[in-house]
Amino acid sequence: MKPCLICKTPIEPFMSFGKMPIANGFLTPEQYPEEHFFELVTAFCPHCKMVQLTELVDERKMFHENYAFFSSTSVRMAEHFQRFAEGVMKDYLDPADPFVVEIGSNDGIMLQNFARASVRHLGIEPSANVAEVARGKGICTISEFFNEDFARRIVAEHGQADAFLGANVMCHIPYLHSVAAGIRILLKPRGVLMFEDPYLGDIVQKTSFDQIYDEHAFYFSVASVSHLFGEHGLEVIDVQPQNVHGGSMRYVIAHKGARPVSASVALQRAKEETLGLNRPETYDQLRRNIERLRDELMALLRDLKRQGKRVVGYGATSKSTTVTNYCGITPDLVEFISDTTPIKQGKFSPGAHIPVRPYSAFEEHYPDYALLFAWNHAEEIMAKEQKFRDAGGQWINYVPKVQVS
Ligand code: SAH
Ligand code: TMP
Ligand code: ZN
């Protein structure tokens, strides 16, 4: 048994997805021989309640100058982060000398709002290519991995921050004790840490197992987040469910005693008890649900193939890497995956090696069925794909269950 990444308790895996490649490692056939695989294994820690991966991929293999995920590909997410930033500006900035730090700032989808409002800010984004896009928008960005040492450097050069932000990045960082210690040093006495990530409660309730891949070292709950930051003199003062990325949770955290604690924290923790998030049996049930979902999806795809139907994937998401590799979806079942991100186009999907084509390939010759890998953007996609439906096209969804519509 491996030690828990947070509290060192020996933990037992509840599931292995088998060998998996780098979720965002879109590649060319020449690169197949060097493709990196690792075993994707998940475990629940009964002591600190953290659900986590037990085998980790080196961060430099995932986040580098060819990182394939550009945040601004989703219009709806840009609107979401605009509201997030406006909330921070309204509630948490010291008018005398405001300073905002964001980790995982990517192409500047959040910080562009602070830059436009001339608020002093700093983005910390190790993936050099996406960081460069942000700089092009006038956003101050440093390409480094955030940790405690780096926090000290920021304080020395820029002073402490009113707000420390992170979206879909905290769960990526295995050395969270160093991150939390750094945040404690970096925050002003009344400063706040606000971060959001896919929520464990949604994963369990929706069987959204495709949230599990190399980049996501942790699957947070209010219980596990409270335990972790509590060890660093920080406390969760508010939690706010978010209707993005298939169900996320935003955590607001401050120095212990610095700000009042909202009733939402205890309420959500009670919901987590009811949902069984703190009990190991829940994760055995999750594994059985995942296995059933895989069998149903594969039965459907094989049946459509027998009928000679064309099936195309919609959105070469990082999540789709878990779906294709765990379920065994090959290019004979899914002809190609359409995606709007130029860096992914013309390449092949990690592990399963399904071709990734530009959106035009989908639009110019509609398939019979579109397998919605980007299900977390369903609202945005359905709103613009009426023509596909009008042409007789049907959607295959697999979260929370396999469904054709
Ligand atoms: N916040 C954006 C991007 C999320 S993707 C959004 O929500 O859309 C995660 C990002 O975190 C990647 O761009 C990756 O390069 C970055 N990242 C990974 N580890 C990090 C670390 N230790 N410090 C800062 N950023 C990190
Ligand atoms: P994400 O789920 O990690 O945010 O990734 C979404 C992927 O889906 C990204 O590669 C862009 C792609 N995409 C499309 O191809 N079309 C769309 O309409 C949307 C919203 C995303
Ligand atoms: Zn633990």
Side-chain angles (χ1 to χ4, degrees), residues 24 59 62-64 67 69-72 77 80-81 102-110 123-131 142 144-147 150 164-170 172-175 179 196 213 215-216 245:
N24 267 307
E59 60 190 358
M62 300 185 283
F63 310 117
H64 43 59
Y67 188 50
F69 177 68
F70 288 71
S71 301
S72 297
M77 288 311 294
H80 170 78
F81 287 124
E102 188 193 3
I103 55 171
S105 47
N106 201 279
D107 57 13
I109 191 166
M110 168 106 79
I124 299 156
E125 176 45 72
S127 297
N129 59 337
V130 295
I142 306 183
E144 291 272 359
F145 288 96
F146 180 81
N147 57 26
F150 194 66
F164 184 100
L165 311 177
N168 308 300
V169 57
M170 204 61 95
H172 293 51
I173 312 181
Y175 41 92
V179 169
E196 61 187 45
Y213 55 90
E215 293 183 17
H216 292 170
H245 286 314

Side-chain angles (χ1 to χ4, degrees), residues 34 185 230 234 236 252 262 275 360:
E34 300 112 68
I185 296 165
L234 298 163
V236 180
V252 187
S262 155
L275 247 179
S360 54

